[in-house]
Amino acid sequence: GQQVMQIPQYQHVQEGEDFTTYCNSSTTLSNIQWYKQRPGGHPVFLIQLVKSGEVKKQKRLTFQFGEAKKNSSLHITATQTTDVGTYFCADGDGDAGNMLTFGGGTRLMVKP
Amino acid sequence: DGGITQSPKYLFRKEGQNVTLSCEQNLNHDAMYWYRQDPGQGLRLIYYSQIVNDFQKGDIAEGYSVSREKKESFPLTVTSAQKNPTAFYLCASSNGYSNQPQHFGDGTRLSIL
């Protein structure tokens, strides 16, 4: 089946540093959704990217979809302790209703 | 407030026992999903249902069963055939159309006694 790879698996940063997580696939992605899961919590939808080369911003978060629709990235500028959690990308399978294939996630830890 | 309610929050299973995890939503969503999450891992799809009285196996359906008799409810049974049931189970729902976000419940942590 389709696989969505996410790197890095873990990232420790000092508060104020930037952070980036990458999502890659060997096949073309239908669309990319990004979710955040706080420690002990459940995934919460952040954003969706559909178009090739699309870039969206939410305050300090910047989401990009690759031109070939085979990769995506989430960049956080000047991390804060509230950014702690695991960030997941998920590919939506357009041929199967609203099925999602999740990447393994990147766990972000922020030192104050 | 609309949302997804999972119960119980914690559940313990004895050897040879079946247990059922509850998932109820009042978002009027057509589609519902069950995922399994192991420590430090991503989400793996167990079962999903796009409409009442219909459901499909996901990537790791063996040892699990579901029913979808009502739009609001999608219970998951972890059977004794599931030899490694200890995990965090997440239920989600969406309106069923492509490219829609999924909304998650708070999850159930299942452990073996």
Side-chain angles (χ1 to χ4, degrees):
Chain A
Q2 178 189 48
Q3 282 195 322
V4 178
M5 309 302 294
Q6 231 181 307
I7 54 171
Q9 194 172 2
Y10 304 95
Q11 182 86 58
H12 288 84
V13 299
Q14 195 72 41
E15 189 174 21
E17 290 180 341
D18 292 356
F19 159 77
T20 305
T21 173
Y22 300 91
C23 186
N24 299 294
S25 173
S26 58
T27 58
T28 302
L29 300 162
S30 301
N31 64 79
I32 279 287
Q33 296 183 13
W34 285 92
Y35 291 78
K36 177 183 178 181
Q37 184 177 23
R38 292 182 186 275
H42 60 270
V44 174
F45 174 77
L46 294 176
I47 209 160
Q48 177 172 261
L49 304 171
V50 178
K51 299 176 184 175
S52 167
E54 190 170 13
V55 178
K56 288 188 177 180
K57 293 191 175 185
Q58 286 180 350
K59 297 182 181 178
R60 294 177 296 102
L61 277 62
T62 301
F63 304 84
Q64 287 190 298
F65 204 3
E67 292 289 343
K69 297 185 75 173
K70 289 188 175 182
N71 56 77
S72 180
S73 65
L74 158 59
H75 179 82
I76 302 178
T77 303
T79 55
Q80 300 175 358
T81 55
T82 53
D83 295 325
V84 164
T86 301
Y87 293 85
F88 293 99
C89 62
D91 178 35
D93 185 342
D95 294 329
N98 200 33
M99 291 274 294
L100 293 177
T101 299
F102 282 84
T106 295
R107 184 178 172 191
L108 172 64
M109 289 154 280
V110 180
K111 289 178 279 188
Chain B
D1 283 341
I4 300 177
T5 301
Q6 287 188 243
S7 62
K9 192 168 184 177
Y10 299 96
L11 186 58
F12 297 91
R13 196 192 87 170
K14 295 179 182 178
E15 290 286 340
Q17 186 182 43
N18 293 351
V19 292
T20 297
L21 284 58
S22 171
C23 179
E24 304 277 331
Q25 55 100 357
N26 61 4
L27 298 167
N28 199 33
H29 284 165
D30 287 311
M32 297 186 74
Y33 315 82
W34 274 105
Y35 293 93
R36 170 179 171 141
Q37 186 175 34
D38 292 285
Q41 303 294 314
L43 282 68
R44 293 185 290 168
L45 184 66
I46 305 172
Y47 268 98
Y48 67 100
S49 168
Q50 294 183 299
I51 197 168
V52 175
N53 292 322
D54 185 52
F55 49 83
Q56 306 294 329
K57 292 182 179 180
D59 298 322
I60 55 165
E62 187 173 349
Y64 301 96
S65 66
V66 293
S67 62
R68 186 87 187 275
E69 297 176 2
K70 298 187 300 182
K71 186 176 185 178
E72 303 80 20
S73 179
F74 191 39
L76 173 74
T77 296
V78 184
T79 75
S80 57
Q82 173 48 248
K83 298 306 179 187
N84 184 23
T86 298
F88 187 44
Y89 291 87
L90 286 158
C91 178
S93 72
S94 73
N95 71 15
Y97 298 101
S98 294
N99 302 342
Q100 297 300 309
Q102 293 187 8
H103 301 259
F104 287 81
D106 288 338
T108 294
R109 293 194 182 277
L110 176 61
S111 301
I112 288 186
L113 278 177

